[in-house]
Amino acid sequence: MTRHNPTSEAEACAIVAEAAAQRTPLAIQGSGTKRAFGRPPQFELTLSSSQMTKVTLYEPAEFVISAEPGAPLSGIVRLLAEHRQELAFEPLDYRPLLGSDGEPTIGAVAAMNLSGPRRIAGGSARDSALGVRFVNGRGEAIKSGGRVMKNVTGLDLVKLMVGAHGTLGFLTEVTFKVVPSPQRVATLWLVGLSDQTAIAALSAALGSPYDISGAAHLPAKIGDGARTLIRVEGFPDSVEYRLGELRSLLKAFGTAVVLADDTGRDLWGAIRDATVLAEPRDKAIWRISTAPTKGADVAARIARTIDARWFFDWGGGLIWLACSTASAASAATIRAATREAGGHATLVRAPEDVRAAVDVFDPPVEAIARLQTGLKASLDPAGIFNPGRMFPEL
């Protein structure tokens, strides 16, 4: 496979323009940490952002950062930490699940809209995106958005590009708003709850005025017994007050204890990256989004016909599920259970032959499919960017 590694937006424009003229498909890639995600590439040219690694703007006082797509996420996290700031959406790292190496990039965070447990409080990566620069399918450089949040008129290309999985253009710069890092992070722990009861407890916490930043449940099958986790962040006095109020609020569900800081941090990292399901490697991994109150029912329905383990994030609205069967039949079962609850399912990990045969994302409804086709034709008329993959529903 031939690999193009532009070092500038101008170089990327020239490469894309030539590919478009010859109608040559391009696989869009960063550092390759997610190459095992989605359909296996069926084309011979790769356009990589691995040589575009600069942080182009950082204004701590304005809470904004811009970077080229190949900038390592770890470097951006360190830079923000020096100023006691962070990305609000807590981006997940797919390497433990996919068994990949290399450095995740900020471009991949944007392209895949990667968001962790804090999404329930801080929104998704898309919600924090202020601006993008990208090369469209004609080889033209496009700029959308800026450095501040403002009302949008017309087509919001920023929101379209974040989460488009490289199907609409090649990102050359992304801009995110950032937030202050909390002075204290604390986690409440309830043990022994069933899935239904745990989600009821999480719903009670999320419905309270106490600003929850994490709400997850690890069933007994995950190990160490069933554990229900609630995270609060902020100024120390505020956190202490909210912990006390939450313990009183949740008294009917058992005695909630406060975890040691290190233990809580490690657990939330494992939840964010789904490392508790990474082994054994032969299991297929699904990421299921549904209404929080329906999460336990969706998992139970799947488990009636498929041998599976799972855990819940986002108060029950996100289900990470590992199953022993990776096939079109198991995919149909999972998607039927999810669809009935009004959700959608994404195949994150499976053998290459299964990924080649099974849709990674739920097929969109007709109206969404028409919209996606129209956007693709407008921004990538020759269909050269990641052909065969449509971006997931927003």
Side-chain angles (χ1 to χ4, degrees):
M1 179 180 289
T2 302
R3 184 182 179 98
H4 291 296
N5 300 290
T7 59
S8 68
E9 184 177 81
E11 284 185 37
C13 286
I15 294 166
V16 172
E18 182 178 355
Q22 300 177 4
R23 294 189 173 272
T24 302
L26 290 170
I28 306 301
Q29 192 176 93
S31 65
T33 61
K34 300 163 192 70
R35 56 187 175 272
F37 182 100
R39 290 276 175 103
Q42 302 295 317
F43 24 92
E44 297 187 3
L45 290 183
T46 295
L47 180 59
S48 170
S49 62
S50 60
Q51 300 303 305
M52 300 178 68
T53 61
K54 301 184 188 71
V55 173
T56 54
L57 167 82
Y58 178 38
E59 295 182 355
E62 300 297 329
F63 294 93
V64 63
I65 190 166
S66 301
E68 293 179 330
L73 178 61
S74 59
I76 288 176
V77 169
R78 285 194 300 271
L79 176 61
L80 294 176
E82 291 173 6
H83 297 269
R84 298 191 60 80
Q85 294 179 346
E86 62 187 16
L87 296 166
F89 48 89
E90 197 175 5
L92 68 95
D93 182 352
Y94 269 124
R95 286 178 297 178
L97 283 183
L98 301 180
S100 57
D101 51 18
E103 283 289 330
T105 63
I106 194 66
V109 168
M112 297 181 72
N113 192 28
L114 298 180
S115 311
R118 198 176 287 115
R119 178 171 180 169
I120 60 172
S124 68
R126 182 182 289 116
D127 296 316
S128 288
L130 298 175
V132 294
R133 292 185 66 93
F134 67 95
V135 179
N136 69 10
R138 299 179 179 86
E140 301 166 335
I142 306 293
K143 177 182 181 296
S144 180
R147 299 176 184 177
V148 296
M149 300 295 286
K150 57 185 178 181
N151 293 331
V152 175
T153 56
L155 189 62
D156 189 352
L157 292 177
V158 178
K159 305 307 183 189
L160 284 175
M161 292 301 295
V162 177
H165 286 246
T167 60
L168 300 179
F170 177 73
L171 290 168
T172 57
E173 184 184 69
V174 294
T175 300
F176 285 108
K177 67 176 180 179
V178 299
V179 297
S181 299
Q183 293 184 12
R184 186 185 175 196
V185 180
T187 301
L188 281 178
W189 163 299
L190 290 159
V191 298
L193 303 185
S194 68
D195 289 356
Q196 290 279 10
T197 304
I199 289 176
L202 296 177
S203 296
L206 287 167
S208 75
Y210 303 124
D211 294 331
I212 309 305
S213 70
H217 175 63
L218 306 175
K221 273 190 174 183
I222 295 298
D224 297 328
R227 295 160 288 171
T228 306
L229 307 172
I230 298 165
R231 184 175 63 185
V232 292
E233 303 175 330
F235 295 110
D237 289 348
S238 171
V239 169
E240 194 63 35
Y241 168 76
R242 285 181 282 149
L243 288 174
E245 294 299 305
L246 284 166
R247 292 172 82 170
S248 297
L249 176 70
L250 300 172
K251 196 173 294 183
F253 299 97
T255 301
V257 300
V258 180
L259 292 179
D261 290 352
D262 290 348
T263 302
R265 182 172 58 249
D266 291 345
L267 267 172
W268 286 109
I271 290 166
R272 180 196 67 202
D273 301 336
T275 56
V276 293
L277 295 178
E279 300 293 340
R281 307 299 308 178
D282 61 347
K283 303 293 185 184
I285 303 292
W286 289 83
R287 195 169 184 264
I288 299 168
S289 179
T290 187
T293 54
K294 296 181 179 180
D297 292 337
V298 170
R301 180 177 173 186
I302 293 170
R304 291 189 197 117
T305 55
I306 296 176
D307 178 27
R309 295 187 305 142
W310 60 84
F311 72 89
F312 303 93
D313 198 0
W314 300 353
L318 177 64
I319 308 167
W320 285 98
L321 183 139
C323 62
S324 56
T325 305
S327 66
S330 65
T333 297
I334 290 167
R335 290 204 156 114
T338 305
R339 199 161 42 242
E340 186 173 292
H344 57 87
T346 301
L347 179 60
V348 172
R349 186 181 80 187
E352 187 168 305
D353 60 332
V354 175
R355 290 188 289 121
V358 173
D359 286 330
V360 174
F361 303 107
D362 280 354
V365 298
E366 184 179 349
I368 297 294
R370 286 199 304 269
L371 177 61
Q372 290 181 339
T373 300
L375 289 169
K376 179 74 169 174
S378 176
L379 291 171
D380 180 20
I384 61 172
F385 292 129
N386 282 347
R389 174 186 289 178
M390 290 301 286
F391 54 94
E393 292 187 40
L394 303 182

